[in-house]
Amino acid sequence: MADIILHHYDTSPFSEKPRVVFGLKGLAWRSVVQPVIMPKPELVPLTGGYRRIPVMQIGADVFCDTQVILAELDERFEGPRLARPGDWAVNLWADRLWFQASVAVVFGEMGENVPRAFIEDREKLSGRPFDVAGMRAAAGPMKAQWRGHAGFVERALSRSEFLGGHEPSLADVAAYMNVWWVSRAAPSAAEALLSGLPRTLAWRERMAGVGHGQRTEMQPREALAVARSSEPAAGFEHDPEDPSGLSPGEAVTVAADDYGRDPIAGALVAVNAQRIVIQREVGELGWLNIHFPRVGYVLSPRRD
Ligand SMILES: N[C@@H](CCC(=O)N[C@@H](CS)C(=O)NCC(=O)O)C(=O)O
């Protein structure tokens, strides 16, 4: 089977989710380190314009967004089954609601130390001012929110060592991302916010102990060569009842509904309640499948 390639960078909180899944499933993977800000000339040809991190690549199939990356890893690879009923809803809570509080805590703490180039890049990404002063001012109320989210974890751990029971589940991976990131990027704030939450502190250690599986570095140009020499997968389930009314083969665009909304153009391969798959022919890379989650992405007919 083709290698699992993760395009990521070490400080990326969302990338910690698949890295922990590699640890839980005992997987070997290739690590391609991509830039923290644009331009990303050795990533964007693979994704058709999606610039967020992480992106997973298996041959000529490219998976954008941790929701679809985790689903693919869980379905495709042996090892403990991670997704329990309800875990995808927990994943969205951790990615959106709790993560918003994490962003305010981390950048509120960093304050004036956030580099100008990073601020400008993230303003383009979100289409809004990256307001460090505002985040500093909001840090107090947002810390209270953050601790409230951590309180859900603390209570859930009262009956077992993991949110999923006696073994880690996707809910653990999703929630841990916030604790991991704030603990690394704003350590003194994290210690204050987690103080008095002994079960969460012990769980953080257990999750850190999972590790990242077997990581081997790969150059970005090698990943592009893998795409060039591979064929995209086939056989995806299409739901004719999808409310978009779109059918396989139609010219479409896909765009995130939160930030980084650059539309990605292609031909629809399939859409169902879990996933959107489009196909693009990319110069010398040939045909690629690009996968997105259904929830959180807007699929539209292309009008050009
Ligand atoms: N919903 C996306 C969010 C990904 C995301 O926001 N990633 C951050 C890094 S952790 C990002 O892409 N920031 C902009 C960048 O790295 O260029 C997912 O689950 O993968």
Side-chain angles (χ1 to χ4, degrees), residues 69-300:
I69 293 173
L70 268 43
E72 184 69 23
L73 289 172
D74 205 20
E75 283 155 24
R76 192 189 273 243
F77 295 100
E78 289 179 359
R81 188 84 178 167
L82 298 175
R84 298 162 312 152
D87 275 5
W88 293 112
V90 173
N91 185 58
L92 277 176
W93 156 73
D95 280 9
R96 296 203 173 199
L97 288 171
W98 195 1
F99 187 66
Q100 274 171 23
S102 297
V103 168
V105 170
V106 166
F107 293 110
E109 288 291 303
M110 284 170 77
E112 300 315 313
N113 297 326
V114 184
R116 170 81 358 228
F118 182 89
I119 292 177
E120 285 169 6
D121 180 80
R122 294 313 195 249
E123 288 186 335
K124 286 198 196 109
L125 175 74
S126 67
R128 289 188 280 118
F130 189 95
D131 180 6
V132 174
M135 284 193 250
R136 261 190 113 89
M142 289 311 264
K143 281 180 175 167
Q145 294 302 306
W146 199 93
R147 189 164 160 93
H149 290 296
F152 291 139
V153 172
E154 183 70 11
R155 284 196 295 282
L157 292 172
S158 63
R159 283 193 260 157
S160 53
E161 311 88 280
F162 294 100
L163 303 181
H166 297 297
E167 301 294 335
S169 69
L170 193 105
D172 293 277
V173 173
Y176 176 64
M177 175 267 276
N178 286 289
V179 173
W180 175 86
W181 186 47
V182 175
S183 300
R184 276 181 64 122
S188 42
E191 290 328 297
L193 290 172
L194 292 168
S195 109
L197 304 180
R199 291 190 285 263
T200 308
L201 286 167
W203 167 84
R204 180 177 69 176
E205 294 313 305
R206 283 194 288 279
M207 291 302 291
V210 166
H212 289 162
Q214 195 189 322
R215 166 175 171 167
T216 316
E217 298 309 314
M218 180 185 245
Q219 290 305 314
R221 62 182 153 68
E222 292 178 67
L224 293 173
V226 169
R228 192 158 47 235
S229 62
S230 311
E231 293 298 321
F236 300 104
E237 184 196 333
H238 177 72
D239 174 12
E241 306 299 329
D242 185 82
S244 68
L246 291 161
S247 306
E250 284 192 62
V252 296
T253 60
V254 181
D257 71 0
D258 48 359
Y259 51 90
R261 299 184 191 192
D262 318 85
I264 297 105
L268 185 66
V269 173
V271 56
N272 57 49
Q274 286 78 44
R275 200 179 284 209
I276 302 167
V277 187
I278 65 170
Q279 201 161 77
R280 290 171 54 82
E281 192 176 21
V282 187
E284 59 166 21
L285 298 185
W287 286 98
L288 303 177
N289 275 345
I290 311 177
H291 303 240
F292 301 91
R294 187 69 181 96
V295 171
Y297 286 79
V298 179
L299 171 66
S300 315

Side-chain angles (χ1 to χ4, degrees), residues 9 11-15 17 35-38 40 50-54 64-67 69 91 95-96 99 118 121-122 125 177 258-259 297:
Y9 46 84
T11 55
S12 152
F14 280 88
S15 302
K17 296 168 68 186
V36 175
I37 61 175
M38 290 294 267
K40 307 189 187 191
Y50 183 89
R51 57 146 302 176
R52 301 197 293 191
I53 290 290
C64 298
D65 196 298
T66 56
Q67 199 188 133
I69 293 173
N91 185 58
D95 280 9
R96 296 203 173 199
F99 187 66
F118 182 89
D121 180 80
R122 294 313 195 249
L125 175 74
M177 175 267 276
D258 48 359
Y259 51 90
Y297 286 79

